[in-house]
Amino acid sequence: MEKEASSTDDPSSFTLLVSCPSGLSPSQVSVAFSDAYDRIPHSDVILENTISEIWKQRSQKNNSLFNGKKFRYGGCVLHAKDGSDHECEPHLCLHLGLTDYRTFAGTNLSPLWERFLVPSEDDSVLCQHTSNPLGNGAVVETNDNKILVLQRSDNVGEFPGHFVFPGGHPEPQEIGITSHQYNKELTESINTKVSQEMFDSIVREVVEEIGVPASSLSIPAFIGISRRNLNVRPAAFFFIKCGLDSKEVRQFYSSAQDGYKSTQLYAVPMIEIENMTFRMPGCHRGGFALYKLMVDTRKIT
């Protein structure tokens, strides 16, 4: 586990939960989707009751709030190369459960979020009482070697005005999952679907937020999971190469479907992003750290 800026009050501090600098293809990432990785309710009933109270308050202020399902991050297992003459490829298995936006608002985003934590070096124990929805983000590199960064709109809920990479969440409803109620004979098939959604969802987010066609994007390479220390917010990060140059990308951005979420698109060389990270949420700053580890690995090899 690698840490940077340990303060939980610093919105740009992060922890790297797992790093895959070689970049993993879809065949190297699997998922174990199970209610074993769902959130465990807190034993403090009064604290637990604040979840519904916060949701009630939020719903009264905002009629359009939707309690959508999300995949819950419950940990992962990384199998590295075996070091033998016939080196096996690294492989990652994500442990995912199910959560929802209501529980996210009442635990991770709650003013009392730190009270839900369990002191532990093991991340899955530390966060066992929080919603922990797994977000995603992409470091997208244009064919003139610029990286795409968005400035978030002032109207978004989390981190208005901050710099971010395109991203969002993998969505259970995209693959027809609303609960853990399914025929257990379908477990393998569902795990495969969820694993594919990890990769499909990040392409969808880039297309919707940047406006570029999916055909201009490479198959995403999984580079790791970063967690914002504030609100213990995990996000899976991917590297994607775009076949368009930065000027062409800007033209597509002007008509992006989710363009309202951001006010500006920047296409900048890697060195300039260093000056933008202080205005990035920790999970995205961690995403940039994962990208730098990937770049350093490629220089060596």
Side-chain angles (χ1 to χ4, degrees):
M1 197 180 278
E2 182 175 330
K3 289 204 172 191
E4 180 140 335
S6 59
S7 168
T8 55
D9 298 326
D10 177 3
S12 65
S13 76
F14 64 88
T15 300
L16 299 185
L17 301 181
V18 63
S19 171
C20 307
S22 61
L24 305 187
S25 68
S27 66
Q28 293 172 273
V29 178
S30 62
V31 164
F33 176 65
S34 165
D35 58 6
Y37 305 119
D38 284 2
R39 171 184 174 267
I40 299 170
H42 201 285
S43 58
D44 182 336
V45 177
I46 295 171
L47 180 63
E48 192 68 13
N49 286 342
T50 63
I51 297 173
S52 54
E53 288 164 15
I54 285 172
W55 184 250
K56 187 178 175 183
Q57 289 164 9
R58 279 186 163 229
S59 301
Q60 286 170 348
K61 288 180 184 174
N62 183 354
N63 294 334
S64 62
L65 271 187
F66 173 65
N67 186 25
K69 297 288 185 185
K70 300 292 176 194
F71 289 111
R72 182 179 185 275
Y73 177 69
C76 65
V77 178
L78 177 64
H79 300 282
K81 290 183 178 181
D82 67 4
S84 64
D85 292 337
H86 53 283
E87 286 192 341
C88 294
E89 289 184 327
H91 184 272
L92 181 85
C93 181
L94 292 169
H95 297 165
L96 300 179
L98 209 54
T99 187
D100 55 35
Y101 189 75
R102 171 185 172 275
T103 314
F104 173 51
T107 57
N108 295 78
L109 297 185
S110 166
L112 306 173
W113 67 275
E114 287 175 289
R115 286 179 55 189
F116 283 97
L117 303 183
V118 176
S120 176
E121 287 297 309
D122 181 336
D123 189 72
S124 60
V125 175
L126 174 76
C127 302
Q128 66 184 16
H129 301 308
T130 61
S131 172
N132 251 28
L134 182 64
N136 61 20
V139 180
V140 181
E141 199 178 81
T142 62
N143 74 359
D144 54 345
N145 297 315
K146 300 287 185 6
I147 295 169
L148 303 179
V149 179
L150 295 164
Q151 184 159 23
R152 280 170 72 78
S153 159
D154 291 332
N155 302 320
V156 293
E158 282 189 274
F159 289 90
H162 280 61
F163 297 123
V164 292
F165 298 108
H169 295 88
E171 300 288 355
Q173 61 266 31
E174 281 287 333
I175 51 173
I177 290 177
T178 55
S179 72
H180 289 290
Q181 302 301 314
Y182 54 84
N183 187 330
K184 295 309 172 195
E185 290 174 9
L186 297 174
T187 298
E188 192 176 332
S189 155
I190 286 173
N191 285 343
T192 302
K193 276 186 175 180
V194 176
S195 178
Q196 189 58 47
E197 170 62 8
M198 296 298 117
F199 287 83
D200 290 348
S201 61
I202 193 59
V203 171
R204 220 166 41 234
E205 296 288 357
V206 172
V207 169
E208 290 172 4
E209 295 190 1
I210 306 289
V212 295
S215 58
S216 70
L217 303 173
S218 69
I219 294 170
F222 178 92
I223 56 173
I225 297 175
S226 159
R227 189 190 69 210
R228 185 174 84 219
N229 290 336
L230 178 71
N231 310 121
V232 287
R233 183 86 161 89
F237 268 84
F238 298 81
F239 171 68
I240 298 177
K241 190 75 183 173
C242 179
L244 305 171
D245 65 32
S246 47
K247 187 178 177 183
E248 291 169 314
V249 170
R250 282 196 187 94
Q251 289 171 337
F252 279 108
Y253 174 68
S254 62
S255 55
Q257 178 185 327
D258 283 358
Y260 66 91
K261 292 181 181 176
S262 60
T263 55
Q264 196 164 347
L265 172 73
Y266 296 87
V268 293
M270 178 177 168
I271 196 163
E272 282 185 29
I273 294 189
E274 295 286 0
N275 301 323
M276 303 171 90
T277 55
F278 75 99
R279 283 281 289 165
M280 281 185 173
C283 39
H284 286 256
R285 192 173 162 215
F288 182 58
L290 291 167
Y291 170 72
K292 286 195 293 182
L293 289 170
M294 183 199 81
V295 170
D296 290 345
T297 299
R298 290 186 176 183
K299 281 178 188 170
I300 294 165
T301 55

